Amino acid sequence: MTPFTKYLKLSTIAAGGLTLCMHGAQVPQHIDIKQLSKTVEDVVVPLPNEIFGALNKLGTVNWKEHVRNDKGSNFTERPRIALLLGTVIADGFIAVQAEDAPTVKEIGQRVLALAKGIGVGNSITPHAKAIIEAADKRNWDSVRQELDRTQNSVQQAMNEVHDEKLSQLVSLGGWLRGTEVLTSVVSKHFSADGAELLHQPDLLSYFQTRLQAMPEFNLPILREIGDALVKVKPLIDVGNARIPPESVKKINDITTRLGSGIVTRD
Amino acid sequence: MNAPVKVLLRGSSLLALIVALQSTVVASVDDAQSFALQAAEPYVKEGFQVREDYWGGDLGSGEKKAVRQQLFKGNEYWFWLGTEVERAKISVHIYDSDGKLAEEPDGWEKGHFAAAHVIPKTTGSYFIIVNVEESPEERTHWALVYGFR
């Protein structure tokens, strides 16, 4: 679409603001969720900074203590690179929270190297450059946007060559690292609202299903993650009950162990 | 024309047709996404981070699709729906995991754009219901993007 047409469309939206049909009155107040089962799309996995943002609103977090400079091992197995890539992108979001420009820049380079290792480097080069430039300017919103774009471009490039499973491992790596940091923060300063952020049973089931569909990736770390998710599930799938401090601590122990396994060679 | 050339030409035409059809389908979902992103644009100035990832597909007139999404208490979310079919009427609504309407009253619909706003009361799964209420097309491409702050 040409910029002019775009401008016209935007103007139309803006000008039509007063005539927008506000909804609510005619919308059903309740629907039968069970009837939706056949039409439900897959989840979009939340970015780590979606959780970090919610966590920030509960109180000041010392993000600097969660910044990780360990670059991780150099793997040759593509599933391991994919997991590590997801973890490193999550580390990028943590470094942004900590406003740690040198680490963000290192992560930009690391993401590019990992993407090359998995065969999707070309799609990442402009984003890695943008991450580094935005970190130099300490434009943290831009860095966050570019990290999201990086993950999206990596996954799109993987999906285009039918590597959807690797794409899912990128998401899983990011989710595990995000959960590790979330549980670390909440363990140190427990609050019921902080613990509630772990209430993600459907997301966990999504990852379990995806892992079970990857028997060809016969790697110990993936088996470990699969076993760990089985242990984590009852700790977060508590319905309307609260998640107690002991559960948060257990999940932190599990995800810290997995995090270490993801960055370290077997 | 000899047989191998004919086969090659037929093959090329078929390939060209497949490529053309594929690009039409892809372009339509991409267009729907660009409209959804246009609807989101004013909210970026209000501090919403719009996700790069999105859902998309096509629906017949009167058909609905549910999208399940993990939302976090403490954040605020907008979901924007778009389609390239200008005379279509579409809507988007948000329900919690019990099926109860969970959205704020400031959601809106305007032809081939719609948006819904939620400030989750609890952390958990929510259902975003996408609906092509009316459309002159047999199938209407849609795309749903979301942002949070």
Side-chain angles (χ1 to χ4, degrees):
Chain A
M1 188 184 300
T2 64
F4 179 67
T5 320
K6 266 190 176 173
Y7 175 74
L8 270 183
K9 297 269 180 203
L10 278 173
S11 307
T12 311
I13 299 175
L18 292 175
T19 57
L20 291 182
C21 173
M22 304 297 281
H23 59 223
Q26 72 280 37
V27 182
Q29 295 297 304
H30 205 278
I31 56 167
D32 185 358
I33 294 299
K34 285 176 194 151
Q35 282 188 346
L36 297 174
S37 58
K38 284 180 187 167
T39 58
V40 175
E41 290 271 297
D42 266 348
V43 293
V44 164
V45 178
L47 286 175
N49 71 320
E50 248 176 274
I51 304 168
F52 299 160
L55 198 52
N56 250 353
K57 287 164 196 148
L58 296 174
T60 310
V61 178
N62 181 10
W63 291 103
K64 285 187 172 37
E65 67 180 275
H66 301 286
V67 169
R68 188 163 63 178
N69 292 306
D70 180 2
K71 289 183 179 175
S73 305
N74 290 319
F75 298 110
T76 49
E77 306 97 328
R78 300 179 82 223
R80 293 220 60 168
I81 299 174
L83 264 180
L84 183 58
L85 183 53
T87 304
V88 171
I89 292 172
D91 278 328
F93 283 113
I94 296 163
V96 171
Q97 292 294 134
E99 302 192 347
D100 181 341
T103 303
V104 170
K105 287 161 72 176
E106 274 173 32
I107 284 170
Q109 296 289 2
R110 181 72 176 140
V111 163
L112 182 57
L114 289 168
K116 280 180 180 165
I118 216 165
V120 293
N122 285 347
S123 56
I124 299 312
T125 306
H127 299 307
K129 202 172 160 233
I131 287 171
I132 291 163
E133 282 174 6
D136 267 332
K137 292 176 186 158
R138 302 178 71 80
N139 184 345
W140 305 117
D141 282 343
S142 287
V143 179
R144 284 188 189 98
Q145 193 71 50
E146 284 302 331
L147 284 167
D148 185 10
R149 283 183 184 146
T150 300
Q151 179 157 328
N152 192 256
S153 295
V154 164
Q155 294 185 299
Q156 269 191 359
M158 286 172 176
N159 293 342
E160 276 164 21
V161 291
H162 304 293
D163 272 340
E164 287 89 352
K165 291 178 180 179
L166 291 182
S167 165
Q168 289 151 11
L169 289 176
V170 173
S171 295
L172 177 59
W175 182 79
L176 284 169
R177 178 69 180 135
T179 306
E180 180 187 343
V181 172
L182 166 63
T183 49
S184 173
V185 171
V186 177
S187 287
K188 280 177 188 159
H189 307 283
F190 183 83
S191 72
D193 280 346
E196 195 193 320
L197 295 173
L198 284 164
H199 188 243
Q200 307 171 29
D202 288 339
L203 206 49
L204 196 136
S205 299
Y206 165 82
F207 283 126
Q208 281 184 308
T209 310
R210 294 296 174 271
L211 270 180
Q212 283 158 8
M214 301 178 188
E216 68 273 35
F217 296 157
N218 188 20
L219 294 168
I221 186 69
L222 294 185
R223 285 195 294 277
E224 256 183 71
I225 294 171
D227 293 345
L229 294 184
V230 171
K231 289 178 191 153
V232 171
K233 184 85 185 279
L235 302 175
I236 65 169
D237 197 357
V238 294
N240 292 328
R242 291 190 163 188
I243 298 174
E246 312 82 66
S247 294
V248 178
K249 179 75 177 71
K250 271 186 202 164
I251 300 167
N252 182 247
D253 290 343
I254 292 169
T255 50
T256 302
R257 182 169 43 79
L258 292 177
S260 165
I262 288 170
V263 297
T264 316
R265 189 166 287 284
D266 296 326
Chain B
M1 200 183 294
N2 64 32
V5 173
K6 266 188 185 173
V7 169
L8 189 66
L9 275 179
R10 271 189 208 144
S12 311
S13 308
L14 188 62
L15 190 66
L17 183 66
I18 290 168
V19 169
L21 282 173
Q22 261 190 342
S23 58
T24 305
V25 171
V26 171
S28 298
V29 177
D30 283 352
D31 285 349
Q33 190 210 2
S34 84
F35 282 108
L37 288 172
Q38 279 184 44
E41 214 165 279
Y43 296 81
V44 174
K45 288 173 195 145
E46 292 176 25
F48 282 89
Q49 184 185 330
V50 180
R51 284 291 308 272
E52 291 290 316
D53 213 347
Y54 69 98
W55 300 266
D58 60 74
L59 287 168
S61 190
E63 281 184 348
K64 289 179 183 177
K65 190 89 183 170
V67 165
R68 191 180 358 217
Q69 184 63 6
Q70 171 75 41
L71 302 182
F72 298 94
K73 182 182 167 184
N75 287 345
E76 180 183 356
Y77 298 84
W78 272 96
F79 288 82
W80 301 279
L81 179 66
T83 174
E84 83 284 7
V85 182
E86 300 210 359
R87 284 185 292 144
K89 188 173 179 295
I90 57 175
S91 67
V92 56
H93 296 289
I94 305 166
Y95 292 84
D96 67 16
S97 56
D98 295 324
K100 195 176 156 202
L101 190 69
E103 67 197 24
E104 298 295 306
D106 55 352
W108 52 267
E109 292 157 14
K110 184 172 170 54
H112 61 140
F113 300 98
H117 180 204
V118 62
I119 302 170
K121 290 190 173 58
T122 57
T123 292
S125 278
Y126 286 75
F127 290 91
I128 296 91
I129 311 294
V130 169
N131 187 5
V132 173
E133 293 180 3
E134 295 167 21
S135 176
E137 303 290 335
E138 194 178 334
R139 304 296 295 176
T140 300
H141 291 99
W142 60 273
L144 179 72
V145 300
Y146 79 98
F148 64 95
R149 71 173 180 189

